[in-house]
């Protein structure tokens, strides 16, 4: 069975229209239709059906897609292995959340410009849900995402490697004495009645605040949302609320960072790709360089770390 035909079927499953498949693959829409017809004849079962002016996969088509994904991933991995002796080069499209983009990826871009001038990183700032959408649409090659150990995300269908963990701390206005250290969950009661500031581009930060405050048996008052960490800290500095932030952040005027050894909540950093692409030389190189830089920076900040091992590359079946 021609893997090119399987790839067209998977693209149709991911993108939904023949025109989108044509744009992604470089074929014309008529060529896409012909390839689907050829694949249908080879398997002996209808794979797509028309509904008005659109097409959709039949149950047989959906079943074939579940088999096609690992087949295509294995082909990509084999190509990467055969090309392993070559110099990493070309363009790598990367999507990542803001703090890893500015703190880790930009320094790595500078390093690679010297060590691998034939490699080009094309960067865009996106939150984890948006990274997943771009990977699903095959618009980026590599993503960097995060979750919290109290609010774990699911990464089913992707090759995922945990790179490191950093503890979360409380950001409180420096001019107010709320709490010095949270060495047990009960100390969080000092924040009851305080406004909270959370990320505005996803529900995970809301859920994190709720679960942390639940350890002290109260509900947080989430009143402010911001799209950047600097703005979150500006709101805290203005005495408009408190926030949970990664412990490796640099000092910010008007903000005091309160450690929480009694509430060991951590933010976990992951690399994520479509299955098989983690073995591409250029992608693998970027992952290793970002992992090394992230660990070095967090070590310099004095934060304890849990390190993701190089072999900790999880590949999950797409549901």
């Amino acid at each position: 069975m021609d893997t090119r035909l399987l790839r067209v079927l998977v693209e149709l499953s991911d993108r939904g229209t023949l025109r989108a498949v044509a744009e992604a693959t470089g074929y014309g829409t008529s060529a896409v239709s012909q390839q689907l017809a050829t694949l249908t004849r080879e398997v002996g079962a209808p794979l797509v059906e028309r509904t008005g002016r659109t097409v959709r996969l039949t149950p047989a088509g959906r079943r074939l897609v579940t088999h096609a994904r690992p087949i295509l991933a294995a082909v990509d991995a084999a190509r990467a292995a055969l090309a392993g002796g070559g110099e990493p080069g070309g363009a790598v499209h990367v999507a990542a959340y803001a703090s890893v983009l500015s703190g880790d990826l930009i320094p790595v871009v500078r390093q690679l410009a010297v060590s691998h001038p034939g490699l080009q990183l094309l960067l865009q700032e996106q939150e984890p849900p948006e990274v997943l959408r771009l990977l699903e649409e095959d618009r980026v090659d590599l993503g960097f995402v995060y979750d919290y150990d109290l609010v774990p995300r699911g990464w089913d269908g992707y090759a995922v490697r945990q790179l490191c963990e950093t503890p979360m701390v409380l950001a409180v206005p420096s001019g107010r004495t709320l709490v010095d250290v949270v060495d047990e969950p009960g100390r969080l009661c000092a924040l009851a009645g305080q406004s909270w500031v959370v990320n505005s581009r996803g529900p995970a930060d809301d859920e994190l605040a709720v679960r942390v405050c639940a350890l002290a048996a109260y509900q947080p008052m989430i009143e402010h949302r911001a799209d950047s960490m600097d703005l979150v800290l500006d709101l805290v500095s203005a005495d408009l609320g408190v926030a949970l932030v990664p412990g490796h952040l640099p000092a910010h005027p008007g903000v005091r960072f309160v450690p929480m050894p009694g509430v060991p909540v951590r933010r976990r950093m992951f690399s994520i790709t479509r299955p098989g692409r983690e073995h591409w030389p250029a992608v693998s190189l970027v992952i290793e360089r970002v992992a090394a830089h992230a660990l070095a920076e967090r070590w310099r900040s004095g934060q304890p770390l849990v390190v993701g091992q190089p072999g900790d590359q999880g590949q999950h079946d797409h549901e």
Side-chain angles (χ1 to χ4, degrees):
M1 186 176 296
D2 191 335
T3 57
R4 291 174 297 180
L5 303 181
L6 290 178
R7 198 174 295 277
V8 167
L9 185 69
V10 170
E11 291 290 349
L12 180 60
S13 175
D14 292 342
R15 300 174 188 276
T17 68
L18 296 178
R19 176 175 294 180
V21 174
E23 292 174 353
T25 60
Y27 301 125
T29 53
S30 60
V32 170
S33 296
Q34 291 171 5
Q35 288 171 318
L36 291 172
T38 300
L39 184 60
T40 296
R41 288 194 298 271
E42 287 189 6
V43 301
L47 301 176
V48 297
E49 59 186 2
R50 289 202 168 273
T51 56
R53 300 180 64 181
T54 63
V55 297
R56 65 181 181 185
L57 297 185
T58 65
R62 292 194 296 270
R63 285 197 300 272
L64 183 56
V65 165
T66 63
H67 292 288
R69 291 187 189 277
I71 291 171
L72 295 174
V75 169
D76 287 340
R79 286 174 176 163
L82 291 172
E87 182 74 7
V92 178
H93 295 259
V94 184
Y97 57 100
S99 60
V100 74
L101 189 65
S102 60
D104 299 308
L105 269 165
I106 290 177
V108 165
V109 168
R110 295 194 183 106
Q111 295 170 6
L112 292 175
V114 176
S115 63
H116 294 77
L119 179 61
Q120 180 186 20
L121 298 189
L122 305 175
L123 309 178
Q124 55 179 295
E125 184 265 319
Q126 302 287 357
E127 283 292 296
E130 297 158 339
V131 173
L132 293 181
R133 176 177 55 79
L134 291 171
L135 284 169
E136 184 72 20
E137 296 173 355
D138 202 16
R139 292 167 58 190
V140 297
D141 304 303
L142 171 62
F144 291 93
V145 295
Y146 68 88
D147 73 359
Y148 305 108
D149 53 1
L150 286 184
V151 191
R153 297 179 187 264
W155 312 114
D156 290 344
Y158 300 95
V160 180
R161 173 177 162 186
Q162 182 174 329
L163 303 183
C164 66
E165 296 181 353
T166 55
M168 302 292 286
V169 298
L170 283 168
V172 302
S174 58
R176 299 185 60 191
T177 304
L178 295 172
V179 64
D180 293 323
V181 62
V182 180
D183 52 9
E184 61 179 22
R187 295 291 297 277
L188 290 166
C189 287
L191 301 176
Q194 294 293 318
S195 298
W196 283 74
V197 185
V198 300
N199 188 295
S200 62
R201 287 171 61 181
D205 283 53
D206 293 62
E207 186 64 25
L208 180 65
V210 168
R211 295 191 182 190
V212 167
C213 292
L215 299 175
Y218 71 92
Q219 284 279 337
M221 296 192 306
I222 298 174
E223 296 186 343
H224 307 288
R225 290 176 167 81
D227 190 24
S228 83
M229 191 62 68
D230 284 340
L231 183 52
V232 167
L233 295 178
D234 285 343
L235 291 168
V236 173
S237 176
D239 202 5
L240 294 176
V242 299
L244 289 165
V245 300
H248 66 273
L249 295 181
H252 190 91
V255 176
R256 182 164 53 92
F257 295 127
V258 177
M260 301 190 299
V263 184
V265 57
R266 296 173 179 269
R267 187 170 79 169
R268 306 182 294 190
M269 174 183 173
F270 303 88
S271 65
I272 184 168
T273 70
R274 289 169 74 109
R277 296 191 183 180
E278 73 276 18
H279 301 301
W280 289 7
V283 170
S284 177
L285 175 65
V286 174
I287 292 172
E288 294 300 331
R289 290 290 183 92
V290 169
H293 188 276
L295 292 172
E297 287 298 303
R298 285 146 185 79
W299 180 266
R300 277 194 287 269
S301 74
Q303 291 295 327
L305 294 170
V306 176
V307 182
Q309 297 300 317
D312 184 22
Q313 191 86 28
Q315 181 172 321
H316 307 281
D317 292 334
H318 188 89
E319 295 295 327

